[in-house]
């Protein structure tokens, strides 16, 4: 069973620090990386894959620096980047057979493994179609299939559900849960629901740093007392929506129920609500503390 250790990993591009002093110990389980675009998630995953070298720091797999492992480390990996390469005139079957050879899947297992991945990603009926005819969702499923071909012990997926419809996303989450035993699975996304129900641990990245790390319960507890609900007149609801990060608006008769995030009670009569992971995301990426000052609060 693999173990990954990231020790003070930093990546700098000219004057920009994309990943800033990240240290992590990763074991068996599903890790959900959440963050806005530009938070550093993709850069960090590319360093874990060995595609990029850190400016500073070291990544070790089972105690050995991944650069020294070379091909042995790549054999442990399955990787789905945001934009994976493919040959548009290949059929799905031929593409997976080609990649199985590239990943050194034993020849006597290639046919069986390709068919297994096609079934897993619901592409069996399209296996003889050229990839250039695939929809965005089908392409994403093909990317997931290629990442799993070599039965990797470390599976890294960057925005894996991009382009998938709700039914496909649920199917993907169930598939990841079924594959998590004995593996390290890293999922990078900005779609909270993709990881809320399947991740063993959540990591929230902002400006290159890990600002939250823990179970879903531990991370959501960090905004306990900062999530509020309020039933407002429509005009007041509109005003509050402009002043605060609002995660939900729901019409209830002639009024509007708001769910919002604020460091302190936003308005007299608001009641505290139990936080969810989406509230945590909103809290960190909508700059809650800077949205409105106390004078403005009193005018609401």
């Amino acid at each position: 069973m693999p173990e990954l250790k990231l020790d003070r990993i930093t990546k700098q591009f000219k004057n920009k620090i994309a990943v800033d002093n990240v240290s992590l110990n990763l074991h068996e389980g599903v890790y959900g990386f959440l963050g806005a675009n530009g938070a550093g998630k993709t850069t960090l995953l590319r360093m874990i894959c060995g595609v990029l070298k850190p400016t500073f720091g070291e990544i070790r797999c089972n105690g050995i620096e991944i650069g020294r492992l070379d091909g042995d480390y790549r054999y442990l990996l399955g990787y789905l980047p945001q934009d994976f390469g493919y040959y548009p005139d290949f059929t799905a079957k031929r593409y997976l057979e080609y990649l199985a050879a590239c990943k050194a899947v034993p020849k006597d297992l290639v046919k069986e493994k390709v068919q297994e991945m096609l079934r897993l990603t619901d592409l069996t009926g399209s296996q003889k179609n050229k990839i250039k005819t695939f929809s965005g969702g089908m392409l994403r499923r093909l990317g997931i299939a290629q990442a799993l071909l070599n039965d990797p012990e470390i599976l890294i997926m960057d925005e894996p559900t991009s382009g998938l419809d709700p039914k496909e996303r649920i199917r993907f989450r169930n598939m990841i849960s079924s594959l998590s035993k004995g593996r390290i699975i890293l999922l990078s996304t900005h779609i909270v629901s993709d990881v809320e129900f399947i991740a063993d641990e959540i990591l929230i990245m902002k400006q290159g740093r890990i600002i939250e790390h823990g179970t879903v319960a531990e991370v959501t507890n960090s905004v306990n007392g900062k999530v509020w609900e309020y039933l407002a007149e429509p005009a007041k609801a509109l005003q509050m929506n402009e002043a605060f990060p609002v995660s939900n608006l729901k019409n209830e008769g002639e009024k509007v129920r708001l769910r919002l995030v604020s460091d302190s009670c936003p308005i007299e009569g608001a009641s505290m609500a139990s936080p969810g992971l989406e509230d945590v995301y909103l809290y960190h990426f909508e700059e809650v503390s800077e949205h409105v000052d106390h004078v403005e609060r009193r005018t609401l």
Side-chain angles (χ1 to χ4, degrees), residues 19-250:
V19 175
D20 189 3
N21 198 37
V22 170
S23 294
L24 293 169
N25 288 319
L26 305 175
H27 305 271
E28 174 188 1
V30 180
Y31 296 84
F33 280 77
L34 289 173
N37 291 333
K41 307 187 304 298
T42 294
T43 300
L44 180 60
L45 294 187
R46 293 184 75 193
M47 286 190 287
I48 294 173
C49 287
V51 176
L52 288 177
K53 289 186 177 181
T55 305
F56 181 81
E58 189 175 64
I59 301 172
R60 294 190 291 274
C61 177
N62 297 332
I64 303 173
E65 197 273 322
I66 62 172
R68 289 170 52 202
L69 288 170
D70 196 25
D72 290 336
Y73 181 64
R74 289 196 298 275
Y75 186 75
L76 296 175
L77 284 174
Y79 179 39
L80 173 62
Q82 280 183 291
D83 299 302
F84 72 96
Y86 60 89
Y87 299 99
D89 285 318
F90 274 29
T91 64
K93 179 175 177 286
R94 184 185 176 196
Y95 173 72
L96 291 178
E97 288 172 343
Y98 168 72
L99 285 183
C102 292
K103 294 182 181 218
V105 175
K107 289 183 179 180
D108 59 332
L109 294 179
V110 168
K111 183 177 180 180
E112 176 186 343
K113 200 67 184 174
V114 166
Q115 290 304 315
E116 179 187 347
M117 293 302 102
L118 289 168
R119 286 193 301 270
L120 189 66
T121 54
D122 199 23
L123 288 172
T124 302
S126 304
Q127 63 179 296
K128 295 182 180 179
N129 297 344
K130 290 187 176 181
I131 299 174
K132 65 183 178 183
T133 68
F134 280 17
S135 67
M138 292 171 72
L139 279 174
R140 213 64 194 153
R141 282 186 274 143
L142 184 64
I144 293 167
Q146 65 80 27
L148 291 167
L149 266 174
N150 57 322
D151 198 22
E153 293 183 33
I154 302 169
L155 180 58
I156 298 175
M157 296 185 167
D158 196 357
E159 301 291 349
T161 60
S162 175
L164 300 186
D165 64 31
K167 182 179 178 181
E168 289 174 320
R169 284 171 56 197
I170 292 169
R171 180 187 177 93
F172 167 78
R173 293 201 301 262
N174 292 339
M175 179 181 69
I176 292 301
S177 292
S178 70
L179 292 169
S180 61
K181 190 69 175 176
R183 287 184 172 91
I184 295 173
I185 300 179
L186 308 179
L187 303 178
S188 169
T189 184
H190 62 274
I191 303 173
V192 174
S193 60
D194 281 354
V195 295
E196 185 165 15
F197 299 110
I198 63 170
D200 298 295
E201 294 189 35
I202 299 292
L203 300 100
I204 299 180
M205 285 196 74
K206 184 176 182 179
Q207 296 177 349
R209 288 181 171 269
I210 303 293
I211 59 172
E212 293 279 0
H213 180 194
T215 64
V216 172
E218 289 168 343
V219 170
T220 54
N221 191 56
S222 69
V223 296
N224 198 27
K226 298 175 182 179
V227 183
W228 306 83
E229 287 192 351
Y230 183 70
L231 193 61
E233 299 291 341
K236 181 65 69 68
L238 180 61
Q239 190 178 8
M240 294 183 73
N241 191 36
E242 293 175 349
F244 297 94
V246 174
S247 61
N248 194 52
L249 286 166
K250 182 181 179 183

